[in-house]
Amino acid sequence: MADIVAGIATSHVPAIGAALDLGKTGEPYWQPVFKGYEFVKGWLAEQKPDVIILVYNDHASAFSLELIPTFAIGCAESFAPADEGWGPRPVPVVQGHPELAWHIAQALILDEIDMTIVNKMDVDHGLTVPLSLLFGQPQAWPCPVIPLAVNVVQYPPPTGNRCYQLGKAIRRAVASFEPDLKVMIVGTGGMSHQLQGPRAGFINTPFDTAFLDGLTRDPVGLSKIPHIEYVREAGSEGIELVMWLVMRGALADDAKEVHRFYHVPASNSAVGHIILQNPKE
Ligand code: DHB
Ligand code: FE
């Protein structure tokens, strides 16, 4: 039986990808950011997940304002890095897991959570930067990845509770997949940041800290945060944090915090990262 053993959350700031790709990780500005991800790289090398479900948002790369799925699951064999204006990132093509992805799509839709099924899609920094932070710069990503895209770009995004409930449905879906697979789920984006308008550069460390605390101990409380509070407290792009709730919903209520990292700023964002592990059954 497949099983979700752990969840990871991390910001997906595109400048982090550029720093890696351009060999700038040792520079004083970037060094403390990458240091915060040393732990997870070693931990993942030990844990060796068979598959990762990566919850992220597309930033008008694969989708555009012409087509905005609220939730979309990538069922393709592979996903190429998107060209976001400077050519595709020099990172490996993402290999999918069509068998598990189709199973999850079917299980979710029959569970009355309607997903858009995607059979061809390029993946942008929302997906590739987290993979770089978790795995460094390998020749090939060490395991298949199922992209799960959430609309947090165009109002109205799904509610935090909807995302949390989606996570719970993903957990049920994975548990009903026959082959033995060690699955992890990654929630990306955030933390507080605003890229536009008079508050551009806005960061709210007390809000982010409370969100990290609540993610382990009070996810139901977090799931009730309304959109307007994300905008006010975490900036206009802070709404990306609802994707962390998909990850949290897919874990046990008593999942344990294994590691946490927080750093301000990287580009315009507060970088947050947490690892939560399910109790052994
Ligand atoms: C930044 C952060 C994001 O999440 C994003 O999608 C684009 C830019 C930033 O901090 O610059
Ligand atoms: Fe983003």
Side-chain angles (χ1 to χ4, degrees), residues 128-147:
T128 63
V129 168
L131 286 182
S132 297
L133 287 170
L134 302 188
F135 294 117
Q137 294 172 293
Q139 286 300 310
W141 300 121
C143 69
V145 176
I146 298 175

Side-chain angles (χ1 to χ4, degrees), residues 101 118 121 123 151 159 185 202 221 227 248 270:
V118 185
M121 174 166 73
V123 285
N151 166 41
T159 63
I185 182 161
F202 176 79
H227 290 140
R248 184 62 182 95

Side-chain angles (χ1 to χ4, degrees), residues 79-241:
F79 306 89
D83 183 346
E84 298 182 60
W86 294 270
R89 286 192 63 212
V91 292
V93 168
V94 174
Q95 300 303 318
H97 196 302
E99 217 189 337
L100 178 58
W102 274 104
H103 172 85
I104 293 173
Q106 168 179 297
L108 289 175
I109 292 166
L110 299 185
D111 204 8
E112 302 181 343
I113 299 200
D114 302 320
M115 304 293 290
T116 297
I117 294 163
V118 185
N119 290 317
K120 184 170 175 16
M121 174 166 73
D122 290 351
V123 285
D124 71 12
H125 69 269
L127 186 135
T128 63
V129 168
L131 286 182
S132 297
L133 287 170
L134 302 188
F135 294 117
Q137 294 172 293
Q139 286 300 310
W141 300 121
C143 69
V145 176
I146 298 175
L148 198 154
V150 179
N151 166 41
V152 290
V153 167
Q154 169 65 54
Y155 186 85
T159 63
N161 183 49
R162 188 62 169 159
C163 290
Y164 187 57
Q165 299 307 327
L166 170 62
K168 288 185 177 291
I170 290 172
R171 187 168 188 215
R172 293 192 291 274
V174 169
S176 66
F177 189 66
E178 198 70 25
D180 266 333
L181 282 180
K182 188 172 182 180
V183 181
M184 288 192 189
I185 182 161
V186 179
T188 71
M191 297 194 86
S192 56
H193 64 304
Q194 171 142 350
L195 303 176
Q196 54 193 313
R199 288 206 311 167
F202 176 79
I203 280 171
N204 184 348
T205 297
F207 176 89
D208 292 337
T209 307
F211 197 91
L212 285 163
D213 290 342
L215 204 64
T216 313
R217 294 203 291 267
D218 183 25
V220 173
L222 294 188
S223 75
K224 293 178 183 156
I225 298 175
H227 290 140
I228 192 67
E229 192 172 325
Y230 280 104
V231 177
R232 191 171 55 228
E233 300 296 333
S236 52
E237 278 67 39
I239 189 64
E240 290 180 342
L241 284 168

Side-chain angles (χ1 to χ4, degrees), residues 8 37-49 52 134-136 142 182 184 275:
I8 302 171
Y37 288 84
E38 284 306 311
F39 177 86
V40 70
K41 283 191 270 186
W43 185 81
L44 279 168
E46 270 169 30
Q47 294 282 323
K48 294 191 181 43
I52 284 179
L134 302 188
F135 294 117
K182 188 172 182 180
M184 288 192 189
I275 305 176

Side-chain angles (χ1 to χ4, degrees), residues 256-273:
K256 295 272 178 308
E257 182 173 331
V258 174
H259 181 71
R260 178 195 290 211
F261 172 64
Y262 183 76
H263 176 84
V264 174
S267 187
N268 303 287
S269 297
V271 167
H273 164 47

